[in-house]
Amino acid sequence: MPSTSWSEVNLFRKCMQAHHYRYSERLTRKRPILPMLRGKILHEMLHNHVMSKKLKDFPEDAWDALEKYAEEFKTFFAEEKEEHGDIIGEIERIFEAYMKKYKNDDLKYEDSEIFVATDIMADFRFIGYIDKVAMDQHQRRWLMDHKFHASIPGPEDRFHELQLILYIWAWNRWQASRPADGIVWDYVRTTPPTLPDVLKNGELSQRANIRCDRATYEAQIKKHHLDPKPYQPFLKKLEKNDLMFFERVFLPAPSQQQIMKIVEDFRATTAMIENLKGIHPRSMSKFNCQGCEFKQLCEADVRGLDVNFVKKAHYVDREKFSGKESKKKVAKKRAKKRKVNSK
């Protein structure tokens, strides 16, 4: 049975040409653009962290994942390294701050990267992966989605984030014996906390407007072998900055009426994708093109440049995934892939 996903439908709604590149030509960049790369590394580290705690024989922990990307970064060209800056060091700081922030979060993680599937129409299947499934201390089950942004979105932005609403519908059909009680947006700011300056006297700056969280500042105190006692009042003030970098928003399961509105729109877009095969006009705008992984390819095409050269230089074929696999087969396939990557 043919399958579709939230990512596919969402990209089609954004730009039909980008959808064509990814899902018809099955292209992906050899090296992700910077915003996507940050999210990819952090996502993998968070996955490895949970799985290495759950499974003793899990091949990698979070730091193994970061080290893998650090080695890959060494192969970048000089101009690529300049563009990416100290991405490995920045991600390390973000991850350490995240771990300290949620060290005692009272959530028990049941699984990570969980496959979910259900029929969206008679001849089409919806498939996806949920970042985390967690139980709280009241035995409520939450579907969690990691969201990586340059700045933490507000409530108005969250109204347009519909992915988890669709996932709770799919999960409660796929896992009827383990229904979800709600969803969690787990926001992580990908702009790292600012490190405090070291003053001439060897002390750390306590500048009032510093964009730094408590965990990062404490790590700098430790790094410079300073007495933490004089910094306690300032550390207390920095706690208010935590929401600048991390925020978890819990939402009880939406009403069935709201869920079905999202499902109906998803079905309609899926039908449009099928009916408009071969038709893929561009949605060129500053908003759509900024951050698009196919921007370089699309611009070359519009300018009449050598598109095949750009494809060969910057893109590779994307692995094809079939929605026909069972949960067991999918888990086995992914475990095998992780094992190969860990060698």
Side-chain angles (χ1 to χ4, degrees):
M1 178 185 295
S3 61
T4 189
S5 66
W6 170 261
S7 297
E8 178 174 0
V9 165
N10 197 43
L11 185 59
F12 180 85
R13 290 170 176 172
K14 184 177 180 180
C15 178
M16 293 168 67
Q17 178 65 46
H19 175 274
H20 172 74
Y21 285 140
R22 182 182 293 176
Y23 293 99
S24 296
E25 295 197 30
R26 304 209 60 81
L27 298 175
T28 189
R29 286 187 66 90
K30 291 180 179 179
R31 288 174 175 161
I33 57 178
L34 186 55
M36 293 177 65
L37 182 59
R38 289 181 187 275
K40 181 180 179 182
I41 297 174
L42 284 165
H43 192 282
E44 191 169 330
M45 291 179 74
L46 291 168
H47 171 66
N48 285 8
H49 173 72
V50 168
M51 296 308 295
S52 61
K53 297 290 184 183
K54 286 180 62 67
L55 304 174
K56 292 181 179 179
D57 59 347
F58 194 77
E60 295 181 339
D61 63 15
W63 302 112
D64 291 326
L66 187 62
E67 179 61 28
K68 178 182 68 178
Y69 285 102
E71 289 299 315
E72 182 180 340
F73 187 63
K74 292 177 183 177
T75 68
F76 282 26
F77 295 116
E79 57 270 23
E80 290 178 312
K81 290 181 179 179
E82 184 177 351
E83 177 191 353
H84 287 68
D86 183 24
I87 184 173
I88 301 300
E90 290 176 354
I91 288 176
E92 181 177 4
R93 280 162 38 210
I94 293 170
F95 185 79
E96 287 180 340
Y98 180 96
M99 288 292 102
K100 289 181 180 178
K101 170 71 176 176
Y102 296 116
K103 183 178 180 181
N104 301 308
D105 64 0
D106 295 324
L107 290 178
K108 181 180 179 181
Y109 294 95
E110 293 186 326
D111 215 335
S112 176
E113 284 290 295
I114 311 99
F115 178 73
V116 62
T118 189
D119 292 345
I120 192 76
M121 296 187 294
D123 55 351
F124 247 89
R125 204 178 198 201
F126 168 79
I127 60 171
Y129 284 91
I130 298 170
D131 288 344
K132 302 285 184 295
V133 176
M135 297 287 287
D136 66 16
Q137 56 188 338
H138 302 293
Q139 298 305 301
R140 294 175 298 198
R141 181 173 287 106
W142 300 90
L143 306 185
M144 179 181 287
D145 188 30
H146 301 308
K147 309 292 287 186
F148 304 105
H149 295 277
S151 58
I152 303 298
E156 183 64 25
D157 299 301
R158 216 159 20 250
F159 180 76
H160 303 285
E161 293 183 352
L162 307 175
Q163 180 177 4
L164 275 184
I165 296 178
L166 187 67
Y167 276 16
I168 202 170
W169 167 81
W171 172 271
N172 286 344
R173 296 179 66 173
W174 179 252
Q175 297 280 356
S177 62
R178 303 166 58 206
D181 298 288
I183 57 182
V184 183
W185 288 287
D186 184 38
Y187 292 110
V188 178
R189 181 178 176 175
T190 54
T191 304
T194 302
L195 297 178
D197 295 325
V198 180
L199 304 177
K200 290 182 179 180
N201 62 4
E203 299 296 316
L204 295 181
S205 168
Q206 298 187 39
R207 182 163 50 88
N209 63 346
I210 187 172
R211 291 179 174 272
C212 182
D213 65 316
R214 175 170 182 146
T216 300
Y217 199 98
E218 283 180 323
Q220 291 301 297
I221 293 174
K222 185 177 180 180
K223 176 182 177 180
H224 294 284
H225 308 289
L226 299 171
D227 181 2
K229 290 183 180 179
Y231 294 96
Q232 291 307 308
F234 187 67
L235 287 170
K236 189 68 177 175
K237 291 180 181 178
L238 287 180
E239 289 179 3
K240 72 179 188 303
N241 285 353
D242 283 356
L243 288 180
M244 187 185 296
F245 298 98
F246 309 108
E247 185 177 9
R248 283 181 178 174
V249 179
F250 289 75
L251 177 70
S255 67
Q256 192 64 19
Q257 181 181 11
Q258 182 179 357
I259 291 174
M260 292 315 298
K261 286 288 184 184
I262 306 304
V263 173
E264 288 166 11
D265 288 347
F266 190 91
R267 283 175 176 149
T269 308
T270 300
M272 289 175 63
I273 293 172
E274 285 300 293
N275 293 332
L276 294 176
K277 278 185 175 178
I279 303 173
H280 38 86
R282 308 169 207 277
S283 298
M284 296 184 70
S285 69
K286 182 178 179 181
F287 175 77
N288 279 346
C289 298
Q290 188 175 14
C292 177
E293 66 175 315
F294 302 108
K295 181 180 179 181
Q296 191 173 12
L297 179 58
C298 189
E299 287 185 350
D301 189 21
V302 171
R303 296 176 191 273
L305 303 179
D306 189 341
V307 173
N308 289 329
F309 175 81
V310 176
K311 284 182 183 179
K312 291 178 181 178
H314 301 286
Y315 295 87
V316 292
D317 292 337
R318 196 166 64 90
E319 178 187 0
K320 190 171 183 179
F321 174 79
S322 169
K324 297 178 181 179
E325 291 99 329
S326 66
K327 288 190 296 180
K328 194 176 210 179
K329 285 183 179 179
V330 168
K332 189 174 181 180
K333 179 180 177 181
R334 292 172 71 84
K336 183 178 180 181
K337 188 174 181 180
R338 286 195 298 266
K339 188 175 180 180
V340 170
N341 289 338
S342 67
K343 290 183 178 179

